Amino acid sequence: MFNKNIFLLLLGQALSGSVVSLLTFSSALAGQWLLGHTTLATLPVTTTLIGAFVAVCFSASIFQKYGRKRAFLGASLLGVVGASLGIVALLDQSFMLFCLATFLLGFFIALNQFYRFLAIEAIDTTWQNNGATALVVSGGILGGILGPHLGNVGVSLFSVPFVGSFGFVGLLCMLHMALSFLLRLRPFSVKESPKVPLKTLLKEPHFLLATCACGLGFGLMTLVMHATPLAMHAHGLSYVQSKSVLAALSKSLSPIRLVVLGLCCYVWASVIALCSVSLLAFWLCLVLVGVGWALSFNGGTFMLNAMQSEHKLRLQGFNSLCVFGGNVLASASVGLILAYGSWAVLHGICLGVVVLFWGLSMHLKHAKNSAL
């Protein structure tokens, strides 16, 4: 199962995952430092996700016109430009320029959505497909450890806070660009298929459940992870302690496919967060969120990759749009929830979302049984 392309995709996932986790740790805190308040502190994170959302919208046409390798190289270049603008924005203390920088970085992190689909091209059998996909997705283990560590080191590396953090972002993007040159991907070609309404596509077996699982897994992780540094800072915990919690999260990732266990992990994470705001509680909360993400996101991806449909490219694109759409909504909500609510309110919302997803999955299961 393990070959050169899988190894390169694993490293690519690790590098891009490092950028994602570094931005998760640094962007909201840098936004708070630039603004002096929490309400709009997560806007730079939201603009990153908006950039990723835009990139995914045009990904199919970009891949077809330029090829995936050139698209990856171009996105890495935009990442370097975005990191450079971020440094300039921090030096000038320009919040709007900082948001533009993180928007450009969104085009780079959009790559994360497509490594899980590329993994199956190097593998011949179905059971190995799932293993290869889980292996590549789990490249985020290194990213989850490295990103927050670099972000923490970069906070005080220079006289202006967070300049060093975005210097590391630029370095990671350049390393990713060098790695992309080594990838050997099959020519990207898609057979023309008749245009069908989106309503028809949504009737594909398991697609709606798979997309909801991926979107829920990433959306709730975004909501909790982006809120954690701000919540810990508000409760008197240091940047260094915030970094150790986010790094510990990555060690919990698992390729187990059962989405329902992921939901249970999210429930337990919220229960712990509602009971305590100690360092141990934050640590346990994010460990469970990490496990919940791994279970739900991998489970949804396995279901999506197992589909045999002539509209598979459109289904993958729509799945990625839903994932980033959920991330944008979650990220945009963090600052407002913490400013006008609390850490407890945020986890109450998480529990409500899990209940809604559970109800939807039961409804889909009942509808499927009725159709049979």
Side-chain angles (χ1 to χ4, degrees), residues 20-235:
V20 172
S21 59
L22 196 161
L23 291 175
T24 298
F25 171 76
S26 300
S27 293
L29 292 173
Q32 186 181 45
W33 176 76
L34 288 169
L35 290 173
H37 57 79
T38 302
T39 306
L40 296 177
T42 59
L43 183 58
V45 183
T46 304
T47 54
T48 300
L49 294 173
I50 292 174
F53 188 86
V54 172
V56 170
C57 285
F58 297 98
S59 60
S61 59
I62 292 173
F63 287 156
Q64 288 178 331
K65 186 173 182 179
Y66 300 105
R68 290 169 297 187
K69 186 172 181 176
R70 289 183 180 178
F72 289 168
L73 290 170
S76 297
L77 180 59
L78 281 176
V80 174
V81 173
S84 301
L85 281 179
I87 293 174
V88 173
L90 289 167
L91 293 174
D92 290 345
Q93 298 189 17
S94 172
F95 183 73
M96 295 305 297
L97 183 59
F98 187 68
C99 289
L100 174 61
T102 56
F103 173 79
L104 293 178
L105 285 166
F107 284 79
F108 175 78
I109 71 166
L111 296 178
N112 267 347
Q113 283 296 303
F114 293 96
Y115 282 125
R116 58 190 171 121
F117 300 133
L118 292 177
I120 64 175
E121 293 190 8
I123 303 301
D124 297 325
T125 62
T126 301
W127 71 270
Q128 287 182 327
N129 285 346
N130 287 348
T133 301
L135 181 64
V136 171
V137 171
S138 296
I141 293 176
L142 176 59
I145 296 172
L146 183 61
H149 176 72
L150 292 177
N152 179 66
V153 171
V155 169
S156 55
L157 193 59
F158 297 98
S159 58
V160 178
F162 302 103
V163 166
S165 301
F166 278 81
F168 285 129
V169 170
L171 178 60
L172 290 170
C173 291
M174 286 188 283
L175 289 174
H176 190 279
M177 184 184 299
L179 187 70
S180 297
F181 277 108
L182 302 176
L183 275 176
R184 295 292 181 265
L185 301 176
R186 297 175 186 173
F188 188 78
S189 61
V190 180
K191 295 181 179 179
E192 289 292 332
S193 57
K195 295 293 183 180
V196 296
L198 179 60
K199 184 178 179 180
T200 303
L201 289 178
L202 294 180
K203 293 180 180 179
E204 290 281 348
H206 304 300
F207 172 71
L208 192 57
L209 184 60
T211 297
C212 289
C214 292
L216 174 74
F218 240 119
L220 289 182
M221 184 182 70
T222 296
L223 189 67
V224 177
M225 284 186 67
H226 290 175
T228 298
L230 296 173
M232 293 181 71
H233 191 58
H235 285 92

Side-chain angles (χ1 to χ4, degrees), residues 228-264:
T228 298
L230 296 173
M232 293 181 71
H233 191 58
H235 285 92
L237 298 173
S238 68
Y239 292 144
V240 175
Q241 290 170 315
S242 298
K243 180 270 296 184
S244 66
V245 172
L246 290 174
L249 152 69
S250 63
K251 298 178 181 178
S252 314
L253 299 181
S254 168
I256 302 174
R257 310 167 193 174
L258 301 178
V259 175
V260 65
L261 293 180
L263 297 179
C264 293

